[in-house]
Amino acid sequence: NAGVMQNPRHLVRRRGQEARLRCSPMKGHSHVYWYRQLPEEGLKFMVYLQKENIIDESGMPKERFSAEFPKEGPSILRIQQVVRGDSAAYFCASSLNQGNQPQHFGDGTRLSIL
Amino acid sequence: TQLLEQSPQFLSIQEGENLTVYCNSSSVFSSLQWYRQEPGEGPVLLVTVVTGGEVKKLKRLTFQFGDARKDSSLHITAAQTGDTGLYLCAGDTGTASKLTFGTGTRLQVTL
Protein backbone atom coordinates (compact mmCIF):
# COMPACT_ATOMS: atom_id res chain seq x y z
CA ASN A 1 0.00 0.00 0.00
CA ALA A 2 1.68 3.17 -1.18
CA GLY A 3 -0.85 5.54 0.41
CA VAL A 4 -0.27 8.25 2.98
CA MET A 5 0.49 6.59 6.31
CA GLN A 6 -0.23 8.23 9.62
CA ASN A 7 0.56 6.97 13.08
CA PRO A 8 -0.60 6.50 15.63
CA ARG A 9 -4.23 6.18 14.57
CA HIS A 10 -5.38 7.03 18.08
CA LEU A 11 -3.47 8.96 20.73
CA VAL A 12 -4.55 9.74 24.28
CA ARG A 13 -2.73 12.36 26.29
CA ARG A 14 -3.29 14.11 29.60
CA ARG A 15 -3.37 17.88 29.79
CA GLY A 16 0.15 19.29 29.77
CA GLN A 17 1.77 16.36 27.96
CA GLU A 18 3.27 16.42 24.48
CA ALA A 19 1.71 14.82 21.40
CA ARG A 20 3.72 13.74 18.36
CA LEU A 21 1.89 12.82 15.19
CA ARG A 22 3.71 11.22 12.28
CA CYS A 23 2.99 11.22 8.55
CA SER A 24 4.75 9.35 5.76
CA PRO A 25 3.70 10.74 2.37
CA MET A 26 2.91 8.69 -0.68
CA LYS A 27 5.97 7.36 -2.46
CA GLY A 28 7.49 10.05 -4.64
CA HIS A 29 5.53 12.89 -3.00
CA SER A 30 7.61 15.70 -1.56
CA HIS A 31 4.81 18.04 -0.46
CA VAL A 32 3.03 17.48 2.86
CA TYR A 33 0.03 19.27 4.34
CA TRP A 34 -1.51 19.01 7.80
CA TYR A 35 -5.21 19.66 8.47
CA ARG A 36 -7.27 19.56 11.64
CA GLN A 37 -10.88 18.42 11.88
CA LEU A 38 -12.63 19.43 15.07
CA PRO A 39 -15.76 17.53 16.12
CA GLU A 40 -18.69 18.48 13.87
CA GLU A 41 -16.52 20.92 11.90
CA GLY A 42 -14.81 20.83 8.53
CA LEU A 43 -11.15 20.34 7.80
CA LYS A 44 -8.98 23.38 8.39
CA PHE A 45 -5.53 23.88 6.90
CA MET A 46 -2.67 24.09 9.37
CA VAL A 47 0.69 23.90 7.60
CA TYR A 48 2.34 23.07 4.27
CA LEU A 49 5.86 21.68 4.13
CA GLN A 50 8.36 20.49 1.60
CA LYS A 51 11.46 18.56 2.54
CA GLU A 52 13.27 20.54 5.26
CA ASN A 53 11.17 23.66 4.60
CA ILE A 54 7.99 25.16 5.99
CA ILE A 55 6.24 26.83 3.07
CA ASP A 56 3.02 28.07 4.67
CA GLU A 57 2.14 27.88 8.36
CA SER A 58 -0.68 30.40 8.29
CA GLY A 59 -3.13 27.92 9.85
CA MET A 60 -0.94 26.91 12.77
CA PRO A 61 -1.71 28.23 16.25
CA LYS A 62 1.04 30.63 17.27
CA GLU A 63 2.00 28.72 20.40
CA ARG A 64 2.59 25.07 21.30
CA PHE A 65 2.30 23.75 17.73
CA SER A 66 5.22 23.00 15.43
CA ALA A 67 5.81 20.91 12.33
CA GLU A 68 8.80 19.54 10.49
CA PHE A 69 9.52 17.43 7.44
CA PRO A 70 13.15 16.31 7.65
CA LYS A 71 15.29 15.15 4.78
CA GLU A 72 14.93 11.60 6.00
CA GLY A 73 11.89 10.20 7.75
CA PRO A 74 8.28 11.20 8.22
CA SER A 75 6.76 14.61 8.77
CA ILE A 76 6.04 15.32 12.43
CA LEU A 77 3.33 17.52 13.91
CA ARG A 78 4.21 18.29 17.51
CA ILE A 79 1.83 19.73 20.09
CA GLN A 80 3.36 20.76 23.39
CA GLN A 81 1.45 21.14 26.69
CA VAL A 82 -1.77 19.84 25.20
CA VAL A 83 -5.12 21.22 26.33
CA ARG A 84 -8.64 19.80 25.99
CA GLY A 85 -9.30 22.00 22.98
CA ASP A 86 -6.58 20.18 21.03
CA SER A 87 -8.80 17.09 20.87
CA ALA A 88 -9.47 16.55 17.18
CA ALA A 89 -8.65 14.41 14.17
CA TYR A 90 -5.42 15.48 12.52
CA PHE A 91 -5.03 14.59 8.86
CA CYS A 92 -1.96 14.62 6.69
CA ALA A 93 -2.06 14.88 2.92
CA SER A 94 0.65 14.70 0.29
CA SER A 95 0.99 15.75 -3.31
CA LEU A 96 3.50 15.22 -6.08
CA ASN A 97 4.00 18.92 -6.70
CA GLN A 98 2.18 22.07 -5.69
CA GLY A 99 -0.32 23.87 -7.89
CA ASN A 100 -3.16 21.83 -9.30
CA GLN A 101 -1.81 18.50 -8.14
CA PRO A 102 -4.41 16.62 -6.08
CA GLN A 103 -3.79 16.00 -2.40
CA HIS A 104 -4.14 12.47 -1.09
CA PHE A 105 -5.05 12.02 2.56
CA GLY A 106 -4.11 9.57 5.26
CA ASP A 107 -6.65 8.12 7.68
CA GLY A 108 -5.72 10.59 10.38
CA THR A 109 -4.69 10.54 14.02
CA ARG A 110 -7.47 10.96 16.52
CA LEU A 111 -6.09 12.86 19.49
CA SER A 112 -7.99 12.76 22.77
CA ILE A 113 -6.98 14.88 25.73
CA LEU A 114 -8.03 13.72 29.17
CA THR B 1 -11.01 34.42 4.10
CA GLN B 2 -12.30 32.10 1.43
CA LEU B 3 -15.44 30.20 2.31
CA LEU B 4 -16.99 27.26 0.54
CA GLU B 5 -20.62 26.69 1.40
CA GLN B 6 -22.13 23.33 0.63
CA SER B 7 -25.81 22.56 0.36
CA PRO B 8 -27.68 20.71 1.51
CA GLN B 9 -25.93 20.02 4.80
CA PHE B 10 -27.79 16.74 5.27
CA LEU B 11 -29.57 14.57 2.75
CA SER B 12 -31.44 11.35 3.34
CA ILE B 13 -32.81 9.58 0.28
CA GLN B 14 -33.87 6.14 -0.85
CA GLU B 15 -31.89 3.92 -3.13
CA GLY B 16 -32.52 4.69 -6.78
CA GLU B 17 -33.16 8.41 -6.33
CA ASN B 18 -31.06 11.14 -7.92
CA LEU B 19 -29.46 13.96 -5.99
CA THR B 20 -27.32 17.05 -6.46
CA VAL B 21 -24.91 18.60 -3.98
CA TYR B 22 -23.78 22.20 -4.44
CA CYS B 23 -20.54 23.93 -3.49
CA ASN B 24 -20.54 27.73 -3.70
CA SER B 25 -18.05 30.48 -3.02
CA SER B 26 -17.47 34.14 -3.76
CA SER B 27 -13.80 33.33 -4.45
CA VAL B 28 -12.24 32.05 -7.64
CA PHE B 29 -10.34 28.78 -7.41
CA SER B 30 -7.72 27.45 -9.80
CA SER B 31 -8.96 23.95 -9.14
CA LEU B 32 -11.61 22.25 -7.09
CA GLN B 33 -11.57 18.76 -5.66
CA TRP B 34 -14.37 16.54 -4.39
CA TYR B 35 -13.73 14.04 -1.62
CA ARG B 36 -15.80 11.44 0.19
CA GLN B 37 -15.06 10.67 3.81
CA GLU B 38 -16.24 7.63 5.75
CA PRO B 39 -16.39 7.65 9.58
CA GLY B 40 -12.97 7.06 11.10
CA GLU B 41 -11.16 7.46 7.79
CA GLY B 42 -9.52 10.20 5.78
CA PRO B 43 -11.06 11.96 2.79
CA VAL B 44 -10.76 9.97 -0.42
CA LEU B 45 -10.30 11.96 -3.61
CA LEU B 46 -13.09 11.51 -6.16
CA VAL B 47 -12.21 14.06 -8.83
CA THR B 48 -10.31 17.26 -9.60
CA VAL B 49 -11.75 19.90 -11.93
CA VAL B 50 -9.58 22.72 -13.21
CA THR B 51 -11.28 24.37 -16.19
CA GLY B 52 -14.32 26.65 -15.96
CA GLY B 53 -17.37 24.82 -17.30
CA GLU B 54 -15.63 21.45 -17.10
CA VAL B 55 -17.79 18.36 -16.64
CA LYS B 56 -16.34 15.06 -15.43
CA LYS B 57 -18.16 11.77 -15.04
CA LEU B 58 -17.20 8.95 -12.71
CA LYS B 59 -19.71 6.11 -13.25
CA ARG B 60 -22.94 7.43 -11.70
CA LEU B 61 -21.31 10.63 -10.43
CA THR B 62 -21.19 13.80 -12.54
CA PHE B 63 -19.08 16.75 -11.44
CA GLN B 64 -19.30 20.24 -12.89
CA PHE B 65 -17.09 23.27 -12.35
CA GLY B 66 -18.82 26.63 -12.81
CA ASP B 67 -17.81 28.85 -15.71
CA ALA B 68 -16.38 31.45 -13.33
CA ARG B 69 -14.62 28.75 -11.24
CA LYS B 70 -16.45 29.87 -8.08
CA ASP B 71 -18.86 26.98 -7.72
CA SER B 72 -19.28 23.30 -8.42
CA SER B 73 -21.90 20.61 -8.27
CA LEU B 74 -21.95 16.87 -7.77
CA HIS B 75 -24.85 14.91 -9.22
CA ILE B 76 -25.43 11.27 -8.32
CA THR B 77 -27.74 9.21 -10.50
CA ALA B 78 -29.62 6.23 -9.05
CA ALA B 79 -28.03 6.45 -5.61
CA GLN B 80 -26.94 3.26 -3.88
CA THR B 81 -26.45 2.51 -0.18
CA GLY B 82 -22.71 2.43 -0.84
CA ASP B 83 -22.85 6.15 -1.70
CA THR B 84 -23.54 6.96 1.95
CA GLY B 85 -20.89 9.23 3.40
CA LEU B 86 -19.68 12.78 3.91
CA TYR B 87 -19.03 14.63 0.65
CA LEU B 88 -16.54 17.48 0.77
CA CYS B 89 -15.55 20.01 -1.85
CA ALA B 90 -12.19 21.71 -1.51
CA GLY B 91 -10.78 24.63 -3.46
CA ASP B 92 -7.20 25.49 -4.29
CA THR B 93 -6.28 29.07 -5.12
CA GLY B 94 -3.09 27.87 -6.76
CA THR B 95 -0.83 30.32 -4.92
CA ALA B 96 0.02 28.28 -1.84
CA SER B 97 -1.73 25.02 -2.60
CA LYS B 98 -3.52 24.79 0.72
CA LEU B 99 -7.05 23.53 0.33
CA THR B 100 -10.07 25.39 1.62
CA PHE B 101 -12.69 22.80 2.50
CA GLY B 102 -16.42 23.16 2.23
CA THR B 103 -18.80 22.66 5.10
CA GLY B 104 -19.69 19.16 3.91
CA THR B 105 -22.82 17.31 2.87
CA ARG B 106 -23.74 14.23 4.82
CA LEU B 107 -25.57 11.79 2.55
CA GLN B 108 -27.50 8.77 3.75
CA VAL B 109 -28.96 6.36 1.23
CA THR B 110 -31.42 3.79 2.56
CA LEU B 111 -33.09 0.76 1.01
Side-chain angles (χ1 to χ4, degrees):
Chain A
N1 184 354
V4 177
M5 303 300 293
Q6 289 188 249
N7 68 83
R9 290 295 310 276
H10 300 273
L11 182 61
V12 180
R13 284 288 177 266
R14 295 188 181 278
R15 282 178 294 172
Q17 290 185 320
E18 178 180 289
R20 279 182 180 245
L21 288 60
R22 294 174 184 78
C23 168
S24 295
M26 283 182 71
K27 189 176 181 180
H29 286 191
S30 59
H31 297 250
V32 165
Y33 313 80
W34 285 93
Y35 295 82
R36 178 164 64 176
Q37 188 173 37
L38 293 168
E40 304 304 320
E41 291 189 18
L43 284 104
K44 298 283 192 265
F45 167 81
M46 297 182 75
V47 62
Y48 162 38
L49 310 101
Q50 294 181 31
K51 284 286 186 180
E52 299 184 277
N53 289 304
I54 297 174
I55 307 302
D56 182 351
E57 55 182 348
S58 59
M60 287 276 272
K62 292 290 184 279
E63 298 177 346
R64 303 188 296 109
F65 284 71
S66 62
E68 63 177 11
F69 189 14
K71 188 177 180 181
E72 301 290 338
S75 175
I76 306 287
L77 180 66
R78 182 183 176 202
I79 311 172
Q80 295 178 288
Q81 299 173 351
V82 295
V83 300
R84 288 245 170 92
D86 296 332
S87 295
Y90 291 82
F91 290 96
C92 169
S94 72
S95 67
L96 187 60
N97 296 303
Q98 71 172 99
N100 290 335
Q101 295 296 321
Q103 295 182 19
H104 297 269
F105 283 78
D107 281 337
T109 293
R110 274 138 192 90
L111 176 64
S112 297
I113 309 302
L114 301 179
Chain B
T1 303
Q2 295 132 355
L3 288 174
L4 275 169
E5 296 288 336
Q6 285 185 239
S7 62
Q9 190 175 0
F10 300 98
L11 189 56
S12 181
I13 61 171
Q14 290 189 316
E15 200 171 53
E17 291 186 44
N18 302 330
L19 66 114
T20 302
V21 176
Y22 299 93
C23 174
N24 295 294
S25 176
S26 58
S27 301
V28 176
F29 293 99
S30 63
S31 70
L32 196 135
Q33 300 169 22
W34 282 92
Y35 293 85
R36 188 172 85 188
Q37 186 178 21
E38 307 279 357
E41 298 181 7
V44 175
L45 180 67
L46 297 175
V47 78
T48 300
V49 286
V50 297
T51 305
E54 182 177 5
V55 177
K56 279 192 174 179
K57 291 193 174 184
L58 186 67
K59 297 184 180 177
R60 294 175 294 101
L61 278 61
T62 302
F63 304 86
Q64 185 162 10
F65 202 11
D67 291 340
R69 291 185 286 127
K70 292 182 179 181
D71 55 84
S72 181
S73 63
L74 158 60
H75 182 78
I76 301 179
T77 303
Q80 299 176 357
T81 55
D83 296 328
T84 293
L86 177 66
Y87 288 82
L88 298 163
C89 63
D92 171 8
T93 62
T95 55
S97 295
K98 60 187 178 186
L99 291 176
T100 299
F101 275 85
T103 47
T105 294
R106 196 166 294 279
L107 171 66
Q108 183 171 33
V109 182
T110 57
L111 290 172

